[in-house]
Every structure is written in structure tokens, then in C-alpha cells.
């Protein structure tokens, strides 16, 4: 069964600085990978996804992520963060060859933007 | 567009009481999921359904039951609520897995005293 590890529970970063949120997954088959964002007191919304093809995927709000199969990673990056990026970010995985499969989330990384 | 609607949004229960959370989606999605969110634990999958009439266990199914009698509705039941079930519950749906996008409801905050 698949699993997701988000290595950092909280990441503080200064406004306009770059940020990387780390995600590693475990699966014995090919996967779909996702990053979701949750703003305070809201539900989750999709930031970006990797299904196949190019390993560098771009999402909304200037975020991008790179799929690295050999390192089983899918780290999220943004070159310059804004105060409005304050939120919790969740990495998720699904096993792509299994039609009956589920989507499993990591424990989340809370991004704190410092003025 | 309603999207995914959860009812109720808030509920306080006493230990041992039962209740049902309703999730309704109007997007004709095949897949529906129930997650719980707890501080420091992320979202954990309780049960899910890959189509009308089907259900499957997720990561933390104990103490919960589900039903998907109609394609648009996914019910989550607590037969005998326990304080450990105090949580925020999210329902989500998607058309097929390879579109990648889960559509989430706004959440239901449940407190068990």
C-alpha cells in the first residue's frame, strides 16, 4: 500500500524568500502525486498534480513541483513567497494502475511567512 | 454550483450517541471519500467508494460505517460515538482517479463529550 511522508511539520520563511516543502512517497507501482493547500478554516484545494509525462509540473499561485522517481520524492517549491501563501500544504499519492484505489495524504506542512 | 455539500457543519454529541454525516455531490462523480482531520495527523482516510453500491475501508475505519445507495450521496455513520472521534470530517469526490483533482466539502466539525 502507498504512503506519504512530509518531513517538516512547520516551515518558517521570510516574505519574498524561496521555499521548498518536502514530500516522499512509498509505493511498489507507478503513482499519481498531488499537492493540496488548505487556507485557514477552509477545505482543501488542488495546487498541482503529476500524472505522467514531464517531471516538472507547474501549479497555481506560482508553485511548482518535481517528480523524482529514483528518490521517490515530489518536493514543492516557490521562488518567492507572499504573506498570502500562509497555509497548510498536503502531499498526496494514489497508485495509478489500480482503478479501485484511494488517495492517501501526508500529515501536512504548515507554512509560516515571516514579515 | 453546489459542488460537494456536507451536513451538518457542526454537531456536539454525548458518548454513546449515534449520528450520520451526509455528503452530497452534484457533479456525477464516481469516487467519494470520507477523511478525518486532526492536528498533526493530516487527513486520514476513513472509508471510500468507487461507485454506487460499493464501499471500502480506508486507513482508520473502526467505529464508522458508510453507505452509497445513490451515486450522489455518501453517508458516514457513527453508531456509538466516542471522544476519540472528535474531529473535523471532510468529504471529497472525483470523477476518475487520473484527473487527479479531489473536490472537497467545507468540513463537518464533530465534538464528542
Amino acid at each position: 500500500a502507498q504512503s506519504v511522508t512530509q518531513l517538516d511539520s512547520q516551515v518558517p520563511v521570510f516574505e519574498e524568500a524561496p521555499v521548498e516543502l518536502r514530500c516522499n512517497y512509498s509505493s511498489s507501482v507507478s503513482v499519481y502525486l498531488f499537492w493540496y493547500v488548505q487556507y485557514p478554516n477552509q477545505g482543501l484545494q488542488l495546487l498541482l498534480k503529476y500524472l505522467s509525462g514531464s517531471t516538472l509540473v507547474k501549479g497555481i499561485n506560482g508553485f511548482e513541483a518535481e517528480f523524482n522517481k529514483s528518490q521517490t520524492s515530489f518536493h514543492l517549491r516557490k521562488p518567492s513567497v507572499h504573506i498570502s501563501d500562509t497555509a497548510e500544504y498536503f502531499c498526496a499519492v494514489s497508485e495509478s494502475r489500480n482503478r479501485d484505489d484511494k488517495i492517501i495524504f501526508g500529515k501536512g506542512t504548515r507554512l509560516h511567512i515571516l514579515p | 454550483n453546489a459542488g460537494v455539500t456536507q451536513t451538518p457543519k457542526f454537531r456536539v454529541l454525548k458518548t454513546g450517541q449515534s449520528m450520520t454525516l451526509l455528503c452530497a455531490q452534484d457533479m456525477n462523480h464516481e469516487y467519494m471519500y470520507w477523511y478525518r482531520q486532526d492536528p498533526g495527523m493530516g487527513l486520514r482516510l476513513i472509508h471510500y467508494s468507487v461507485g454506487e453500491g460499493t464501499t471500502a475501508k480506508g486507513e482508520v475505519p473502526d467505529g464508522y460505517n458508510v453507505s452509497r445507495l445513490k451515486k450522489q450521496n455518501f453517508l458516514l455513520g457513527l453508531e456509538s460515538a466516542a471522544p476519540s472521534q472528535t474531529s473535523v470530517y471532510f468529504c471529497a469526490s472525483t470523477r476518475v482517479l487520473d484527473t487527479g483533482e479531489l473536490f472537497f466539502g467545507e468540513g463537518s466539525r464533530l465534538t464528542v463529550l
Side-chain angles (χ1 to χ4, degrees):
Chain A
Q2 70 271 49
S3 65
V4 177
T5 302
Q6 291 184 245
L7 298 167
D8 305 299
S9 59
Q10 297 189 66
V11 173
V13 61
F14 287 103
E15 196 169 11
E16 298 184 6
V19 68
E20 178 179 87
L21 305 183
R22 296 180 293 170
C23 172
N24 287 87
Y25 69 92
S26 174
S27 175
S28 58
V29 299
S30 59
V31 295
Y32 297 142
L33 293 159
F34 315 95
W35 276 98
Y36 283 81
V37 59
Q38 185 180 33
Y39 298 106
N41 300 313
Q42 294 186 24
L44 281 76
Q45 63 184 84
L46 183 68
L47 262 183
L48 49 79
K49 61 187 177 185
Y50 170 79
L51 303 180
S52 64
S54 174
T55 57
L56 182 64
V57 293
K58 295 186 183 298
I60 61 172
N61 300 339
F63 284 93
E64 63 181 33
E66 186 159 16
F67 170 57
N68 187 320
K69 188 175 181 180
S70 63
Q71 297 187 3
T72 61
S73 68
F74 190 55
H75 300 332
L76 180 70
R77 302 185 183 99
K78 186 170 183 178
S80 176
V81 297
H82 189 267
I83 195 73
S84 60
D85 293 322
T86 298
E88 191 157 20
Y89 293 80
F90 294 92
C91 184
V93 64
S94 173
E95 292 183 339
S96 59
R97 294 182 184 177
N98 185 351
R99 179 193 176 276
D100 295 334
D101 199 41
K102 48 196 176 293
I103 300 175
I104 299 298
F105 285 80
K107 293 186 177 182
T109 298
R110 197 171 293 275
L111 181 60
H112 295 282
I113 309 300
L114 307 172
Chain B
N1 293 333
V4 178
T5 303
Q6 294 181 227
T7 53
K9 290 186 171 41
F10 301 93
R11 184 75 186 269
V12 178
L13 287 177
K14 295 181 180 178
T15 297
Q17 286 185 317
S18 63
M19 75 158 295
T20 300
L21 294 173
L22 169 64
C23 177
Q25 51 92 6
D26 61 0
M27 298 172 282
N28 200 34
H29 285 171
E30 290 291 334
Y31 293 74
M32 296 187 75
Y33 304 83
W34 274 109
Y35 292 91
R36 59 178 289 175
Q37 185 177 25
D38 303 289
M41 300 299 292
L43 275 79
R44 291 181 291 171
L45 182 64
I46 305 171
H47 286 280
Y48 64 108
S49 169
V50 302
E52 181 179 320
T54 74
T55 62
K57 293 181 180 180
E59 302 170 279
V60 289
D62 294 342
Y64 304 94
N65 56 73
V66 288
S67 65
R68 184 114 181 256
L69 299 180
K70 294 183 178 181
K71 187 177 184 179
Q72 64 267 36
N73 295 337
F74 194 31
L75 279 65
L76 177 71
L78 286 73
E79 289 188 348
S80 179
S84 61
Q85 294 177 304
T86 293
S87 187
V88 180
Y89 293 84
F90 285 98
C91 177
S93 71
T94 189
R95 184 173 60 85
V96 289
L97 279 182
D98 59 6
T99 64
E101 182 166 7
L102 285 176
F103 291 82
F104 281 85
E106 293 183 345
S108 297
R109 185 176 294 275
L110 176 65
T111 301
V112 183
L113 303 176

